[in-house]
Amino acid sequence: MLEVDLQVEDPQLGQSVAETCARFGSVRSVKVHRSPSAFALVEMANREQTSELAATYGGSTFGTCALLHLQQKAT
């Protein structure tokens, strides 16, 4: 699970997720969803980056996209 501040608006949340995921490579896009539970669909430049990202945060992969569950960061 990726820990983020879920109290912010979607654009800011998407930017935060993108910045975190950028350490694994080039982030092509981030789509944030809050229902039924918070998750982000992150598209990376290639499958290797996607696999490393998903393995680090316990997500699933779909081609070059990783589905990452989001959790409120402890303050």
Side-chain angles (χ1 to χ4, degrees), residues 54-66:
T56 300
Y57 294 109
S60 303
T61 62
F62 306 94
T64 58
C65 292

Side-chain angles (χ1 to χ4, degrees), residues 3-54:
E3 292 187 347
V4 294
D5 182 2
L6 293 172
Q7 305 303 315
V8 299
E9 298 293 323
D10 286 356
Q12 188 179 353
L13 179 55
Q15 181 64 34
S16 175
V17 170
E19 289 170 3
T20 300
C21 295
R23 70 183 186 106
F24 296 93
S26 179
V27 177
R28 297 247 170 114
S29 69
V30 175
K31 293 184 177 135
V32 174
H33 300 270
R34 295 185 187 255
S35 182
S37 63
F39 69 91
L41 188 61
V42 181
E43 182 180 7
M44 301 297 289
N46 63 52
R47 288 178 187 245
E48 292 78 23
Q49 295 170 357
T50 305
S51 294
E52 187 178 352
L53 175 63

